[in-house]
Amino acid sequence: MVRGPQTTMSDDRKPYPFRDFEPKWQARWDSEKTFRTAGPGDEGFDPAKPKYYVLDMFPYPSGAGLHVGHPEGYTATDIIGRYKRMNGFNVLHPMGYDSFGLPAEQYAIKTGQHPAVTTAANIENFRRQLKSLGFAYDWDREIATTDPEYVRWTQWIFLLLYSSYFNAESNRARPVAELEAKGWTREQIDAERLAYVADTPVWWSPDLGTVLANEEIEEWKSKGHTVERRPLRQWMLRITKYAQRLIDELDGLDWPEGIKLLQKNWIGRSEGAEVVFTVANKDITVFTTRPDTLFGATYMVLAPEHPLVAEITTSAQQAAVEAYRKTCASKSDLERGDLNKDKSGVFTGAHAINPVNGAEIPVWIADYVMMGYGTGAIMAVPAHDERDFEFAQKFTLPVIQVVAGENVGETSALPCCDPGIAINSGFLDGLATADAKAKMIDWLETNGKGKRRIQYKLRDWLFSRQRYWGEPFPIVWKDGHHHAIADSELPLLAPPLDDYKPSGTPDPLLNKATEWVQLHDGSIRETNTMPQWAGSCWYYLRYCDPSNKDRFISKEAEQYWSGKGASTGMVDLYVGGTEHAVLHLLYARFWHKVLFDLGHVGTPEPFQKLVNQGLILGEDGQKMSKSRGNVVNPDDVVREYGADALRLYEMFMGPLEQVKPWQMKGVEGVSRFLARVWRIAFEEKSDGGHQVSAKIKDIECADKELLRVVHETIKKTGEDIEKLSFNTAISQMMICTNAFTQAEVVPLKEFIQFLTVLNPFAPHLTEEIHERVAAVTGRRCSPLSETAWPTYDPAALVRNEIEIVVQVNGKLRERLTVAKDADEEMVKSLALQSPKVLEHTDGKTIRKIIFVPGKLLNIVAA
């Protein structure tokens, strides 16, 4: 654990006086707005400057504040943002807060305090902590998703979705006004809107008083909250219409392949066929990716919540089926899917007709089949599906092999899920899997028993919550229909309540605000609220134009910050954790594509390059958590070692994407490195103060080796920053520091070049040294943050000396440093005079000498 204030390093032990100057520079940057970013319409904006938009996934401002895992990504973006600024770019590097959410509401429930009060206090603490680390944010662009003006535009974008539909012919979103012009009825249009209302099964928590997303269930159940399945009227977003574009348009993005694969798997594109089975004179459609195995379907399984279960279940099985359905109602999709190791199910008593051969097969219900994917019904082919095979084994159901390997006569272990040759399959026998699939689909379509289909696992986005602390929907209900409120009425803000406790029923909390809900014209406000995801879908756009009262982003700002069409994404670099790999990124991409289709943005994607920083573990190697007592507060680290040491250590721990354990000794080590930089510049006076070192001289550098190291450092650090290889850049700067420490004279020009290169990593220390040294040497210099990145001299990188390895009989015996142009005779002479070589050749005959220019001399002696 980090030591608290009582054991903080005393003044006489601190390696350099960071406490004296770090707050000074933070205050100066703040008051002078050093990192203000001018955009279109702003004073000082230069449209000819290239733009660079670097973005952090903005945090939820919890009461616990930051822990040391947060600054890892923030420091990485800060370094590259400062570096790009030094290279002439107009850098947009903003910060804000994803400030709606359930934790603030839970605190309101406990205390009765409005969640806005808690949220404001948390934001203030986050802002203080971020500023204490010296990040070069443009604080004039700070936003919070709970700000009324931000809520206004979130609601406006929702209404844009509400007023749009997906045109299948153009594969684009279009205004529903087009459908109105064609004479479509209200009911027809409502069935096509991108934002629509549906009665759907959802996960409801009575004690939390809200619906939860699938991804939230396990978290809140683990905290002791009840979660149950029930049908409710909900707002949905038709993200499924964009499923194929969300897959295809990943190709133009510079994202980790693993993240792209996660998104593709989440969307879950499958090619196959719909097949119609008949059960008790009712048709049940199944989707299968292996229609070639239809002859091997020996039973059917329905999801327990399938609407036909109650109709087809026989009276003898009714009690067992109802009991099983009740058991399944409390299980999450994760428990029914990936975590479902022990198959369970109940026979309904009904039988289905296999359309391909007329065979009667039993119909079961089982929790491993879910309504959320496909049709909520499957044909079970146990010989060629692992889950079906496990189920058949447990309940002694028939297994018929209908696919064999290429050598049909050979037997293979079941289940066999690989492609092969069709057997026991009538008109498919002898066909390879691909051909058998095609022929079976043709047969199904010809005989009216099915059709080709592309299926997606992705479901439409459940967009309703019943809690208070979220954006109210800008919708009213009248005469059984929903209507958008006028743009002039935005933002629509939730009124304060006497209490924020859930009622235990699915009634939204805003129902308590009866005067707010009931309007004078007889309309009733929608009382559900939007999920926390809403605000995070578009925040990167608002940063570009945060004070605009007329638009969510001006055309000019959008065009400038999107760039000149060199990439498909607006944000040049987006850094955040892998926990947002699917949902946030998928939702933001969906909203952006709708805005793109309707002409509000000029790029089809929001984020061009994505980097996921690795998790920082506690010193015990475990994930940081309060319960483990291993959380490290950055305030404590800054207090003891300074902000620059924390920044530098987090970048020096290892590659940015790697999972790494926190080590306080590592912070101490980096702090000592920064102290060495300080001691190059200053000598300690008798009174404990510091004066500029006498070694620093404003003269031309005569030390060719020092010059080489400085220019190597300029070159490598720049290249490493571009590659986000911050740890190797720091290693090179440590080498440079050693070279300055060992030098008899520290030439001012080269030392300032080094400070400039170190500045993005340790901005406080370098600015302080630069200011003091410049004052003493008479140089009037701009702050390093406004200094151009130094240019390295290729000629200075040329080594005048090289190292030659000397071997005797193939074994390393010596290393010689010689002039770069030394010939074989010179190297041979020096080698044969070396005591280390003489030790192994004395008294022996030298039979042969092998010379490899610039690398090796091997002496063969016997």
Side-chain angles (χ1 to χ4, degrees):
M1 290 293 292
V2 176
R3 290 168 287 186
Q6 69 277 12
T7 57
T8 295
M9 189 180 297
S10 61
D11 285 354
D12 60 332
R13 289 172 52 222
K14 66 184 179 183
Y16 62 98
F18 57 84
R19 292 191 195 89
D20 297 339
F21 60 77
E22 287 191 346
K24 178 189 91 173
W25 284 100
Q26 290 160 15
R28 184 182 299 185
W29 294 330
D30 215 21
S31 64
E32 296 178 359
K33 298 189 175 183
T34 301
F35 303 108
R36 173 184 171 273
T37 303
D42 294 334
E43 183 182 350
F45 171 63
D46 181 0
K49 262 191 171 185
K51 68 95 180 182
Y52 190 79
Y53 189 175
V54 56
L55 181 64
D56 304 294
M57 291 186 185
F58 68 168
Y60 173 76
S62 69
L66 298 175
H67 62 69
V68 291
H70 290 97
E72 181 187 17
Y74 303 162
T75 303
T77 55
D78 195 60
I79 290 169
I80 197 163
R82 286 172 177 270
Y83 167 78
K84 289 289 186 180
R85 201 168 182 264
M86 289 174 161
N87 279 279
F89 285 81
N90 190 23
V91 175
L92 179 57
H93 186 210
M95 176 50 71
Y97 312 97
D98 191 10
S99 46
F100 277 120
L102 203 49
E105 181 147 336
Q106 288 297 294
Y107 190 75
I109 291 169
K110 290 178 183 178
T111 64
Q113 185 181 67
H114 194 290
V117 177
T118 309
T119 301
N122 293 344
I123 287 175
E124 177 62 32
N125 186 44
F126 266 58
R127 185 187 301 116
R128 175 194 63 78
Q129 289 185 297
L130 290 166
K131 288 187 175 183
S132 77
L133 293 169
F135 294 131
Y137 294 127
D138 179 355
W139 288 103
D140 285 352
R141 294 177 180 268
E142 181 186 36
I143 59 173
T145 57
T146 48
D147 294 340
E149 271 300 295
Y150 192 89
V151 170
R152 172 191 178 189
W153 294 111
T154 302
Q155 292 171 331
W156 183 87
I157 295 173
F158 171 81
L159 290 180
L160 196 69
L161 290 157
Y162 176 79
S163 302
S164 303
Y165 77 104
F166 190 82
N167 185 310
E169 292 181 3
S170 65
N171 203 30
R172 294 287 184 271
R174 299 295 302 157
V176 296
E178 294 180 350
L179 304 180
E180 292 170 351
K182 292 179 180 180
W184 283 38
T185 67
R186 173 62 192 257
E187 287 72 19
Q188 288 174 314
I189 291 173
D190 286 349
E192 295 295 324
R193 294 182 189 274
L194 289 179
Y196 66 98
V197 174
D199 291 312
T200 185
V202 295
W203 291 106
W204 163 258
S205 175
D207 50 346
L208 290 173
T210 188
V211 163
L212 297 174
N214 281 330
E215 299 71 35
E216 298 171 321
I217 298 165
E218 297 305 321
E219 174 190 354
W220 291 101
K221 283 179 73 172
S222 68
K223 294 177 180 178
H225 295 280
T226 302
V227 181
E228 60 190 42
R229 195 79 155 168
R230 64 165 65 190
L232 289 178
R233 179 184 62 80
Q234 300 290 297
W235 281 95
M236 311 286 290
L237 299 187
R238 218 177 290 274
I239 190 173
T240 50
K241 293 292 185 181
Y242 283 80
Q244 194 59 50
R245 280 175 61 185
L246 288 167
I247 292 173
D248 294 341
E249 292 170 17
L250 283 168
D251 292 342
L253 302 180
D254 184 7
W255 286 20
E257 287 304 316
I259 301 298
K260 288 184 178 183
L261 185 60
L262 281 171
Q263 290 226 342
K264 289 177 181 178
N265 289 342
W266 187 267
I267 298 166
R269 185 183 193 274
S270 300
E271 295 183 16
E274 285 185 344
V275 184
V276 179
F277 287 74
T278 303
V279 182
N281 295 320
K282 297 181 182 298
D283 288 343
I284 297 181
T285 302
V286 306
F287 172 78
T288 176
T289 59
R290 293 293 303 271
D292 58 301
T293 64
L294 193 49
F295 283 94
T298 60
Y299 62 99
M300 175 181 274
V301 183
L302 305 184
E305 56 270 69
H306 195 290
L308 286 180
V309 170
E311 295 185 42
I312 67 171
T313 300
T314 62
S315 57
Q317 291 296 109
Q318 188 170 356
V321 166
E322 286 304 313
Y324 185 75
R325 293 179 81 181
K326 188 174 182 180
T327 300
C328 296
S330 62
K331 291 184 180 181
S332 69
D333 289 356
L334 189 62
E335 290 172 313
R336 290 173 60 173
D338 293 343
L339 301 180
N340 190 353
K341 304 303 180 185
D342 184 22
K343 294 292 179 287
S344 64
V346 173
F347 178 42
T348 64
H351 288 79
I353 304 300
N354 186 329
V356 77
N357 57 12
E360 283 194 351
I361 59 175
V363 181
W364 288 65
I365 61 170
D367 60 3
Y368 76 93
V369 177
M370 291 173 272
M371 285 301 297
Y373 178 64
T375 63
I378 67 164
M379 62 176 214
V381 185
H384 305 290
D385 182 276
E386 290 183 5
R387 293 182 310 168
D388 295 346
F389 184 79
E390 291 173 11
F391 193 88
Q393 291 288 97
K394 181 167 183 177
F395 295 103
T396 321
L397 293 165
V399 178
I400 299 174
Q401 184 175 359
V402 292
V403 179
E406 292 183 3
N407 298 318
V408 178
E410 293 182 4
T411 58
S412 57
L414 297 180
C416 175
C417 305
D418 298 327
I421 305 298
I423 61 172
N424 302 322
S425 298
F427 58 87
L428 300 182
D429 280 353
L431 294 178
T433 294
D435 295 332
K437 282 184 180 181
K439 188 168 184 177
M440 177 57 81
I441 295 174
D442 288 343
W443 184 92
L444 291 169
E445 291 186 331
T446 299
N447 290 274
K449 300 295 185 181
K451 60 184 178 180
R452 283 180 175 81
R453 181 174 173 183
I454 294 174
Q455 174 76 41
Y456 297 95
K457 187 168 64 174
L458 182 68
R459 299 295 90 193
D460 276 345
W461 179 4
L462 174 65
F463 203 66
S464 291
R465 299 294 185 268
Q466 290 67 47
R467 54 189 181 229
Y468 174 81
W469 197 227
E471 299 93 342
F473 282 94
I475 296 289
V476 295
W477 290 80
K478 191 171 185 180
D479 301 326
H481 290 293
H482 42 74
H483 305 271
I485 67 173
D487 288 355
S488 60
E489 296 181 48
L490 303 178
L492 176 64
L493 305 178
L497 301 178
D498 293 333
D499 74 86
Y500 302 92
K501 295 178 181 178
S503 64
T505 72
D507 292 333
L509 208 60
L510 283 176
N511 279 350
K512 293 183 178 183
T514 52
E515 291 185 9
W516 181 83
V517 172
Q518 302 284 345
L519 301 181
H520 295 302
D521 65 354
S523 300
I524 298 174
R525 292 196 191 279
E526 171 64 61
T527 52
N528 281 292
T529 53
M530 299 184 201
Q532 189 173 359
W533 306 105
S536 63
C537 275
W538 72 281
Y539 73 108
Y540 58 93
L541 290 166
R542 191 60 177 174
Y543 279 141
C544 300
D545 200 10
S547 302
N548 196 321
K549 301 287 186 183
D550 300 319
R551 284 180 57 85
F552 71 103
I553 181 174
S554 72
K555 286 285 186 183
E556 296 77 14
E558 190 279 324
Q559 288 171 0
Y560 176 75
W561 291 113
S562 290
K564 294 181 169 54
S567 61
T568 58
M570 180 185 204
V571 177
D572 297 287
L573 176 63
Y574 195 29
V575 176
T578 55
E579 66 272 19
H580 300 297
V582 174
L583 296 182
H584 158 60
L585 292 172
L586 200 65
Y587 294 156
R589 293 180 65 216
F590 165 51
W591 275 39
H592 193 92
K593 289 181 188 303
V594 174
L595 292 169
F596 174 73
D597 290 353
L598 297 172
H600 294 286
V601 297
T603 59
E605 288 283 339
F607 316 116
Q608 180 60 32
K609 182 178 177 64
L610 173 70
V611 173
N612 298 122
Q613 84 267 17
L615 199 65
I616 292 183
L617 306 175
E619 290 203 74
D620 56 2
Q622 302 294 313
K623 185 175 180 180
M624 289 189 188
S625 70
K626 286 183 180 180
S627 60
R628 292 192 181 98
N630 63 352
V631 174
V632 180
N633 189 327
D635 289 348
D636 296 334
V637 183
V638 169
R639 189 181 302 114
E640 186 162 358
Y641 296 103
D644 285 338
L646 173 59
R647 291 166 58 106
L648 210 68
Y649 171 63
E650 296 215 349
M651 295 299 95
F652 192 53
M653 293 172 77
L656 181 62
E657 298 91 342
Q658 196 176 77
V659 175
K660 304 165 282 278
W662 179 268
Q663 296 290 339
M664 285 307 296
K665 287 184 179 179
V667 187
E668 293 173 8
V670 165
S671 178
R672 286 194 294 271
F673 158 63
L674 293 174
R676 286 198 296 274
V677 177
W678 178 265
R679 288 195 294 271
I680 292 169
F682 301 111
E683 300 166 347
E684 192 166 350
K685 298 191 294 185
S686 58
D687 62 359
H690 295 88
Q691 62 186 12
V692 174
S693 170
K695 290 175 65 176
I696 296 180
K697 299 185 183 298
D698 194 359
I699 59 173
E700 186 175 342
C701 181
D703 186 336
K704 298 291 180 66
E705 181 61 17
L706 176 62
L707 192 66
R708 181 186 62 77
V709 173
V710 170
H711 283 267
E712 275 187 351
T713 302
I714 295 170
K715 179 177 185 291
K716 181 168 176 55
T717 304
E719 291 172 348
D720 285 352
I721 290 174
E722 293 279 7
K723 295 185 294 185
L724 307 184
S725 298
F726 304 113
N727 57 321
T728 55
I730 294 169
S731 295
Q732 179 62 38
M733 287 187 282
M734 289 178 171
I735 292 171
C736 194
T737 300
N738 291 337
F740 276 119
T741 301
Q742 294 164 15
E744 294 182 5
V745 174
V746 176
L748 180 62
K749 176 185 173 183
E750 283 68 29
F751 186 52
I752 290 177
Q753 286 178 324
F754 167 69
L755 291 176
T756 306
V757 168
L758 179 58
N759 177 260
F761 296 79
H764 309 85
L765 174 76
T766 51
E767 292 285 14
E768 182 69 12
I769 293 174
H770 181 241
E771 183 182 66
R772 291 199 194 188
V773 170
V776 170
T777 57
R779 284 204 171 201
R780 296 180 62 83
C781 299
S782 300
L784 293 177
S785 61
E786 298 173 14
T787 300
W789 186 263
T791 303
Y792 70 87
D793 181 1
L797 302 178
V798 177
R799 291 176 179 264
N800 295 319
E801 293 181 325
I802 57 174
E803 185 179 80
I804 300 290
V805 170
V806 180
Q807 296 177 337
V808 178
N809 295 331
K811 293 185 177 180
L812 175 64
R813 300 304 182 187
E814 177 65 291
R815 296 179 187 273
L816 297 175
T817 301
V818 300
K820 186 180 178 183
D821 57 357
D823 59 15
E824 182 176 356
E825 289 304 317
M826 174 63 74
V827 175
K828 192 186 301 181
S829 175
L830 290 170
L832 292 174
Q833 295 175 43
S834 166
K836 292 181 180 178
V837 172
L838 285 171
E839 184 181 340
H840 297 281
T841 59
D842 195 24
K844 296 180 180 179
T845 301
I846 296 176
R847 299 189 179 278
K848 188 178 183 182
I849 294 180
I850 302 167
F851 179 63
V852 180
K855 294 182 179 180
L856 171 73
L857 185 85
N858 184 26
I859 301 169
V860 181

